[in-house]
Amino acid sequence: MRAFERLLQPGFIGTVRTRNRIVKPGAAMLYWHEDETSLNPRVRAFYEAIVKGGVGLVIVEAPIVDYPLGGRWRRRYRIDDDRYVDGLRELVDLIHSYDCPAFMQMNHDGPWQTQPWGDPEPLVKERPIASYPVSVSSENDFHNELPRQLEEPEIEAIIEKFARAAERARMAGFDGVDINAASSHLLHNFLSPFWNRRRDAYGGDLKGRARFLLGIVHEIRRRLGREFPICVTLNGFESGRLLGIPDEECLKFEEAVEIAKMLEGAGVDAIQVRTQWIGYHVAGFFPEAIFYPELPFYPTAFPYPYDFRRRGSFAHLSVASAIKKVVSIPVIAVGKIDPETAENALRKGAVDFVSMNRALIADPDLPKKLASGEKTRIRPCTHCHTCLDPAPVKRCRVNGAVGLDEPYEVRPVLRRKRVVVLGGGPAGMEAARVAAARGHDVVLYERWRVLGGSMLLASLIKGSGIEELEGFLGYLKRELRIAGVKVVLGVEATPPVVARLSPDELIIAAGGVPHLPEVKGIRMPHVVDTARLLTNLMRYLGLFGPKLLRVLSRYLLPFGERVIVLGGDKKGCQLSEFLVKAGRKVAIVETEQEIGSGMFPHLRLALLDFFRRKGVEVLTGVREVEIVNGGVATLDGQGRRFLYAQHVIPVPKWKSQKELRQTFLSTAGEVYVIGDCLEPREIVDAISEGHRLARTI
Ligand SMILES: Cc1cc2nc3c(=O)[nH]c(=O)nc-3n(C[C@H](O)[C@H](O)[C@H](O)COP(=O)(O)O)c2cc1C
Ligand code: SF4
């Protein structure tokens, strides 16, 4: 059998033929605005890249079915009126022009609090709506507001709205719909006994709780006939154990199985399976989230049939395959599934299709690359969760094109230029890769004997359990080679060196420079000179690589048992996590009122919880810090404290080196400064800057 033969085999969902078994599931990129009635260039560019890459089926992110109560973000399209049909038709025509079918997802955010994650412009001002007034206080979920109970006529009106939206989907040319009854949206809210405590026709036993969802399915079937495929995205179970809620009170796997059978009986054509974790919204669709920074419970305590191996890669797959055993319609697995796992599952008949969301955001050409035997050229998703960032325009940490409002593919250059890149970190490598892929003659200088820059350090500190930065680094190195970039390691290119090459374009991506913060006592012997340490680490990283060095650091870490970390921003918190995992007793001292600034909200909360469990002492709002013999003395609103430790680690501040532009100005036709060298930020900024600059030169 050929590699990935099953994954690349055509399939059917109802009457719709797919060219392979890879589905792009519905995912809100939020590139739209509620006022739009036509396709905007950013949405076009995103979906065009996805379909061009050869995916089998695209499920377009849900437009708002019931405006405004059914939505939470203004950056979604609408489908509650016929005037929105034309805009969607433009998108469907585009998808069809690449020989790919398109489904439209439909959901209802009714029970969610009015401001889920700091949207600056809340869409809904009134109380959320739900099966029953139940709220759960958890900063990591969307149910902190007590919703209002829907009356029966209101439920029937929402059924009508879903059915009208499906009709409009067909008018727009969609080949089918995906009804999202997963996550903790309104339809799941009715299915779950934890949320739905009604005693009328829409509550009580499973039949009553499923009446709403089945009502929608029946109504769509009645209006659009047997030929129009309906997929339902379903939670294979719901667990409350993260908050101490007994799983028996939630939607159990056995009930999900019964719902799946009911859906099949009602004429549903496919079921996509996820899970739901009360109190932790993200864990329901990113199965690795629950493993960060460590499992909150013993692995065998996962509800049946959740498979905890490979930190989430088998989790939803195992639940989906258990559901497949009881239905004969296609079952789609989704959640951190890589091509090999997918192929194995398909060969075993465990599932029929596999949805890949982030893998396709990271590299829309994944299906094509699998088909042409270029698997090693796939740009891997690092599972960093950057795409969940509620930033005005979503980006991807590894795919610098995501978020552009022009076609993603890079265009060949008309005139081949000589491009010199200084710096082999993320910004420099990405700029070199794209410039060379376009046809430029590119030389990259890196002063260390190893490529990677800040990614090596990040990989060392964060490990590769959840985030897989090393895979991405490997991809960049391979692509530099394939694109013909000449890489010169261990040489710090000076202006005369660059001038001799007389480049048309010089890209300076030499990274930021670490500086110790100004704290009294910073030169004392028990203070770790982190600026120097980072320099030494780069040497060792070149020798051993991040993975081995991380293992070695457990035994060779030159710090005592008690350590104080000065600085509790994202970097300070991640360093503290590393130290705790290396067996140190850690205290964090921060002048701001909170620690973890710069982290994504859900990861920050998970890390704070980990710190609490591990007894990390956290001092925030500290007005004055002084490093003294034996530790650190702090002054906050309440008084002076002395913290004892063998070592104090100040989190270095990073400074730009943008003055290098002036230094090199006369050496090239054009000189650019990008990445941390311009302004120290995140890897996603470095990649997108490198990518976007190289597209234009
Ligand atoms: C930015 C983003 C937005 C998402 N929005 C939705 C959504 O609107 N509806 C939905 O069913 N799933 C949504 N998801 C979840 C994805 O469909 C998918 O289940 C998840 O990314 C896990 O699959 P993966 O590991 O292949 O990425 C979203 C995921 C991301 C990253
Ligand atoms: S690399 Fe990060 S931002 Fe990109 S798709 Fe994966 S998780 Fe999302």
Side-chain angles (χ1 to χ4, degrees):
M1 201 177 262
R2 276 189 305 118
F4 304 108
E5 186 165 329
R6 285 284 157 77
L7 193 56
L8 298 171
Q9 211 167 52
F12 277 92
I13 292 183
T15 51
V16 167
R17 183 181 185 275
T18 65
R19 57 189 161 193
N20 56 47
R21 303 302 178 98
I22 306 172
V23 177
K24 165 71 181 70
M29 296 307 283
L30 305 178
Y31 291 151
W32 260 300
H33 189 271
E34 57 174 8
D35 294 337
E36 286 172 322
T37 52
S38 58
L39 184 61
N40 73 49
R42 187 164 285 127
V43 176
R44 166 183 284 275
F46 176 76
Y47 282 101
E48 185 164 29
I50 296 286
V51 275
K52 257 188 173 172
V55 70
L57 168 69
V58 171
I59 302 178
V60 170
E61 63 202 85
I64 303 173
V65 163
D66 177 15
Y67 184 89
L69 281 177
R72 286 297 178 272
W73 283 274
R74 292 189 182 278
R75 287 176 285 153
R76 276 194 189 263
Y77 200 68
R78 288 172 62 171
I79 189 69
D80 57 313
D81 190 281
D82 287 352
R83 69 176 184 276
Y84 300 108
V85 170
D86 286 347
L88 285 175
R89 187 178 295 119
E90 285 180 65
L91 179 57
V92 177
D93 288 348
L94 172 80
I95 296 171
H96 283 167
S97 72
Y98 288 96
D99 203 20
C100 180
F103 283 14
M104 184 187 85
Q105 191 175 62
M106 300 195 286
N107 80 344
H108 198 297
D109 292 337
W112 286 7
Q113 62 208 42
T114 44
Q115 226 172 342
W117 264 333
D119 200 304
E121 259 189 298
L123 173 62
V124 177
K125 304 254 176 356
E126 54 194 282
R127 217 169 138 187
I129 50 173
S131 56
Y132 193 83
V134 178
S135 72
V136 168
S137 60
S138 163
E139 283 180 275
N140 235 348
D141 211 341
F142 297 160
H143 298 277
N144 293 280
E145 277 167 53
L146 193 67
R148 164 178 80 74
Q149 173 169 336
L150 281 170
E151 302 299 330
E152 284 193 31
E154 290 179 296
I155 298 171
E156 280 145 27
I158 294 175
I159 293 176
E160 164 69 20
K161 286 176 184 175
F162 269 89
R164 277 300 292 145
E167 284 182 309
R168 291 188 186 108
R170 192 171 69 174
M171 280 159 66
F174 278 106
D175 303 283
V177 287
D178 170 37
I179 303 172
N180 187 355
S183 196
S184 58
H185 297 294
L186 187 63
L187 298 177
H188 168 77
N189 182 276
F190 271 77
L191 292 172
S192 158
F194 176 80
W195 302 100
N196 183 349
R197 289 154 197 254
R198 308 169 72 101
R199 288 284 158 252
D200 63 5
Y202 288 98
D205 63 8
L206 188 59
K207 213 165 141 225
R209 284 182 271 130
R211 188 181 303 278
F212 187 13
L213 173 59
L214 289 168
I216 292 171
V217 172
H218 286 309
E219 200 47 34
I220 296 175
R221 273 274 159 270
R222 193 180 68 74
R223 295 180 191 202
L224 299 181
R226 189 64 202 88
E227 301 295 291
F228 190 72
I230 302 175
C231 172
V232 172
T233 298
L234 188 69
N235 293 319
F237 65 74
E238 174 184 50
S239 172
R241 67 185 56 194
L242 290 175
L243 297 185
I245 299 165
D247 285 350
E248 298 74 58
E249 292 180 21
C250 307
L251 183 82
K252 293 184 279 298
F253 169 69
E254 295 74 22
E255 290 180 307
V257 162
E258 290 310 311
I259 297 168
K261 288 187 199 161
M262 289 181 203
L263 291 170
E264 180 174 24
V268 161
D269 299 280
I271 297 175
Q272 177 172 245
V273 182
R274 307 206 305 226
T275 61
Q276 163 62 9
W277 298 83
I278 298 175
Y280 196 177
H281 171 67
V282 173
F285 52 92
F286 286 175
E288 75 279 5
I290 214 162
F291 294 81
Y292 176 79
E294 66 172 16
L295 258 187
F297 42 72
Y298 203 65
T300 48
F302 272 114
Y304 175 81
Y306 200 91
D307 185 338
F308 61 84
R309 287 173 302 152
R310 295 236 326 263
R311 290 193 172 93
S313 286
F314 293 127
H316 289 176
L317 182 59
S318 58
V319 185
S321 68
I323 295 234
K324 175 159 168 63
K325 292 197 177 104
V326 299
V327 292
S328 52
I329 50 175
V331 170
I332 309 170
V334 59
K336 205 189 176 216
I337 302 175
D338 56 77
E340 281 85 5
T341 309
E343 176 69 15
N344 281 337
L346 290 166
R347 282 186 190 191
K348 284 188 202 142
V351 289
D352 304 282
F353 287 83
V354 176
S355 278
M356 294 184 189
N357 182 40
R358 289 169 293 170
L360 289 172
I361 295 175
D363 192 344
D365 290 333
L366 178 148
K368 265 192 187 162
K369 288 179 181 172
L370 289 179
S372 60
E374 295 179 297
K375 190 192 159 273
T376 53
R377 295 199 64 187
I378 293 171
R379 183 171 40 235
C381 162
T382 58
H383 302 108
C384 60
H385 298 195
T386 302
C387 45
L388 283 188
D389 188 355
V393 177
K394 274 189 194 299
R395 293 177 299 168
C396 167
R397 177 158 76 167
V398 300
N399 184 352
V402 171
L404 286 175
D405 55 8
E406 61 182 41
Y408 285 9
E409 75 256 13
V410 292
R411 261 170 284 153
V413 290
L414 298 175
R415 183 171 78 83
R416 184 174 160 89
K417 296 183 195 169
R418 165 144 280 223
V419 179
V420 172
V421 179
L422 304 187
M429 280 198 285
E430 177 67 359
R433 180 189 79 79
V434 174
R438 294 184 60 214
H440 289 310
D441 170 21
V442 184
V443 185
L444 183 151
Y445 282 90
E446 166 54 51
R447 70 186 174 117
W448 297 107
R449 297 204 150 275
V450 57
L451 286 170
S454 61
M455 280 198 290
L456 288 169
L457 289 169
S459 184
L460 170 70
I461 297 294
K462 295 181 184 190
S464 54
I466 309 286
E467 287 193 34
E468 293 115 10
L469 265 170
E470 272 186 280
F472 177 48
L473 182 54
Y475 158 84
L476 283 173
K477 286 185 195 166
R478 274 192 300 280
E479 289 299 310
L480 290 183
R481 211 171 39 242
I482 292 168
V485 174
K486 185 175 170 213
V487 176
V488 185
L489 294 177
V491 174
E492 186 153 6
T494 55
V497 171
V498 175
R500 270 200 296 280
L501 298 169
S502 55
D504 300 295
E505 317 271 349
L506 173 66
I507 300 174
I508 307 176
V513 182
H515 283 264
L516 290 183
E518 283 173 22
V519 178
K520 214 167 158 193
I522 195 84
R523 300 285 164 205
M524 292 185 78
H526 61 304
V527 181
V528 179
D529 183 343
T530 25
R532 175 130 39 95
L533 180 74
L534 288 173
T535 310
N536 290 337
L537 268 178
M538 286 305 289
R539 260 183 220 119
Y540 291 122
L541 281 164
L543 282 175
F544 302 115
K547 223 177 218 161
L548 181 57
L549 196 57
R550 191 173 161 89
V551 175
L552 292 176
S553 69
R554 285 185 168 260
Y555 308 100
L556 305 174
L557 208 59
F559 308 140
E561 190 203 336
R562 298 178 79 96
V563 179
I564 297 169
V565 174
L566 289 188
D569 64 357
K570 178 179 176 173
K571 290 202 165 74
C573 281
Q574 286 170 343
L575 173 66
S576 303
E577 177 198 340
F578 169 78
L579 291 166
V580 170
K581 287 181 175 170
R584 299 303 187 273
K585 195 143 184 44
V586 177
I588 303 174
V589 176
E590 169 59 52
T591 50
E592 298 292 326
Q593 292 304 326
E594 287 189 333
I595 60 166
S597 63
M599 294 187 75
F600 298 127
H602 62 289
L603 298 178
R604 175 178 171 269
L605 289 167
L607 189 56
L608 296 193
D609 197 38
F610 170 78
F611 286 162
R612 267 189 294 276
R613 286 200 306 273
K614 298 292 175 186
V616 172
E617 195 174 350
V618 177
L619 264 67
T620 53
V622 172
R623 285 211 302 261
E624 281 175 36
V625 185
E626 183 182 351
I627 301 167
V628 293
N629 278 329
V632 163
T634 69
L635 195 66
D636 58 23
Q638 293 170 338
R640 185 177 166 85
R641 296 171 205 250
F642 172 75
L643 299 173
Y644 155 73
Q646 282 97 0
H647 284 101
V648 177
I649 309 184
V651 176
K653 301 281 169 218
W654 290 82
K655 292 196 177 153
S656 77
Q657 303 194 76
K658 51 184 175 214
E659 65 285 354
L660 286 178
R661 182 166 192 278
Q662 207 52 40
T663 316
F664 283 89
L665 202 54
S666 59
T667 63
E670 290 287 345
V671 181
Y672 309 90
V673 180
I674 58 168
D676 284 3
C677 194
L678 178 69
E679 185 191 343
R681 284 154 299 160
E682 303 292 332
I683 294 171
V684 62
D685 300 297
I687 292 290
S688 85
E689 250 167 51
H691 184 93
R692 287 164 200 215
L693 172 65
R695 293 172 76 92
T696 60
I697 56 175

